Amino acid sequence: QQLWMLAGRLVGGYKLVGNAIAQYARSRGTALMNAMGSPENKKNSSIAAKAGKQKISDLLELQRQVQQLLSHLPHANEYCALKHVWEDVINPSNELEETNMVAEALAKYVDACLKDTKRQLGSSSSSPLDNNGNWAEAVISGVFCYLQAKDVFEAFYKQDLAKRLLWNRIVSMDVERHFVSLLKAECGAGYTSKMEGMFQDMDWSRETMSRYKQTQYQDTGFGSGDNSNSHKVEMDIQVLTTGYWPVYPQYPNLILPQSLVEPQNKFSEYYKSKYQGRRMTWQYALGHLVVRFKPKETPGPKYELLVSLCQALVLLQFNEGDDLTLPQLQAAVGLEDRDEMERLLLSLSLGKEGSRVLQKRDHDADKKKKTRMNVHDQDTFRVQSNFKSNSRRIKITNIMMKETKEEREKTVEAVSRDRLYLIDAVLVRIMKARKTILHQQLIPQVLEQVKVPAQPADVKKRIETLIEREYMERDPADRNRYNYLA
């Protein structure tokens, strides 16, 4: 502060100190973003996600410190403009992959914040951002508003939002809606329409289930003294609109036990009678339930396992106490995807300590000491007879909850495909308005109107595609000019 006051006595002194502060912010911010895109992080997606969230947190802390410094310097905002500094830090020049990584890391950071109970309840925290309760505003104004790859952030954020809603990971619905409202204020209603649709689906599902349960209660008969329903499965169903939610794998041939088929059929009949003409598709990959578990050989307590539907179907096959192989379980469950069955068995047998309810025996166990981390068709599984856990209610991590490398690549690929369609639309709109235009004028106009990161080479490829599809043509007299074809 003293240096700032002394610099004010010199001609251009404020400007010199302001430039030094901006250079400091640029060098520190660039170092953080370069560490995020290191080769080690690119190889390991889990390490990259953890490091990315930490770097976003560090960047927000850097912004807070710089802003706090400027707030103590008179007229500092006039001589120290940081807008272009943060734009350059958050969007590395000519590095589309790194910009995508920043967008993904920001989405994962927001996901972690929204699932953090202490942060939502306003508990004491080491970060001043958390104590002030303004982390959402800091994320939007400090990182998101400068981010060019907003479409990548949207794709990953929607995936994480869907998982939080469907797997009951919501800590505060008010905070979730508030964050979406901030996104809407920044990017418009079109950006958040699907996110708001997810909230509407959850609200509508609660109302539908309430009406359905009331109908079932009346049909059963109040006070009839009938205890036949005491052992029936209590089912809660969420009705999702196809266009709002991410696409999930379909398992149409799963063999459900009768205890699940009956309530499923009852709800289907109720729904079709109330809403005629609507088509229902059951998303078994999203189902989750509570299974009571107790090994027969041990006189220990009963446990409650929180598992996915597919995991529960696998566990039910061991009620008879037999040793089963992967192909046998596939046939019994009706799951055709071998890789998914392998992931299910590994999560039940080689998960974290206290959740290994199945015991895996390798077919070549006599030749080696260590258990393999994959499943051979001849490997056998049985119930862990000496299972013990300090918790009576055990959550067995569902592999689908962990984002795989393939899932991440599919998300980025889908966003890249949508960008191509956006460039096509901008090209056609410009050509329709101008009718004819030079190549040197067309490229800058497209890059200016496309709100996502794009390179001139991408625009040139889309121009060639549109020429092949006869939306436009090269002028026969001037190969550097394009004409619009009506």
Side-chain angles (χ1 to χ4, degrees), residues 257 259 291-297 312-324 329 358 381-383:
S259 58
V291 176
R292 291 193 178 92
F293 168 74
K294 180 182 179 300
K296 293 181 179 179
E297 292 83 356
L313 295 180
V314 170
L315 290 174
L316 288 177
Q317 310 309 314
F318 292 92
N319 273 337
E320 304 303 323
D322 299 329
D323 289 5
L324 298 173
L329 288 168
L358 295 184
F381 294 84
R382 63 166 58 185
V383 174

Side-chain angles (χ1 to χ4, degrees), residues 50-87:
K50 188 174 181 179
K53 287 186 287 188
Q54 183 59 46
K55 296 306 177 186
I56 294 295
S57 178
D58 293 343
L59 178 61
L60 289 171
E61 179 62 21
L62 172 64
Q63 290 180 334
R64 187 196 65 81
Q65 292 174 356
V66 173
Q67 197 58 42
Q68 188 177 24
L69 171 64
L70 295 180
S71 66
H72 291 92
L73 306 180
H75 312 293
N77 291 328
E78 299 176 17
Y79 298 96
C80 184
L82 295 174
K83 180 174 183 286
H84 295 296
V85 171
W86 300 129
E87 285 179 348

Side-chain angles (χ1 to χ4, degrees), residues 7 17 94 196-197 217 252 427 454:
V17 178
N94 300 323
E196 292 172 334
Y217 183 70
L427 278 167

Side-chain angles (χ1 to χ4, degrees), residues 148 183 212 304 377 418 428 448:
Q148 291 181 0
L183 293 177
Y212 171 68
E304 289 188 347
D377 284 351
D418 291 340
V428 171
E448 182 182 354

Side-chain angles (χ1 to χ4, degrees), residues 143-178:
V143 182
F144 181 77
C145 67
Y146 301 117
L147 185 67
Q148 291 181 0
K150 289 183 172 64
D151 51 349
V152 177
F153 173 86
E154 178 193 6
F156 283 104
Y157 179 80
K158 281 196 302 186
Q159 281 191 350
D160 293 333
L161 174 61
K163 289 178 180 179
R164 291 196 299 274
L165 289 170
L166 297 174
W167 286 82
N168 298 323
R169 294 290 188 88
I170 298 293
V171 176
S172 171
M173 186 61 77
D174 291 338
V175 177
E176 293 277 357
R177 292 181 185 274
H178 173 61

Side-chain angles (χ1 to χ4, degrees), residues 226-235 258-260 262-263 292 302:
D226 182 12
N227 295 324
S228 61
N229 293 327
S230 59
H231 298 290
K232 288 189 177 180
V233 173
E234 184 177 338
M235 183 178 288
Q258 196 61 29
S259 58
L260 294 180
E262 287 181 5
R292 291 193 178 92
K302 287 185 179 180

Side-chain angles (χ1 to χ4, degrees), residues 343-401:
R343 285 193 289 269
L344 293 172
L345 290 172
L346 291 176
S347 67
L348 294 168
S349 60
L350 297 178
K352 62 182 180 180
E353 289 291 337
S355 68
R356 300 174 183 177
V357 293
L358 295 184
Q359 180 182 358
K360 175 176 181 282
R361 177 175 173 78
D362 296 339
H363 71 286
D364 54 353
D366 298 335
K367 301 178 183 178
K368 58 187 183 58
K369 296 180 180 179
K370 193 174 180 180
T371 304
R372 270 199 324 270
M373 294 304 293
N374 58 359
V375 181
H376 190 274
D377 284 351
Q378 296 179 16
D379 294 345
T380 57
F381 294 84
R382 63 166 58 185
V383 174
Q384 191 78 263
S385 57
N386 57 349
F387 177 81
K388 288 183 180 179
S389 176
N390 295 329
S391 303
R392 294 293 175 264
R393 194 174 178 89
I394 305 165
K395 181 177 179 58
I396 299 181
T397 305
N398 184 11
I399 301 296
M400 252 197 68
M401 290 293 292

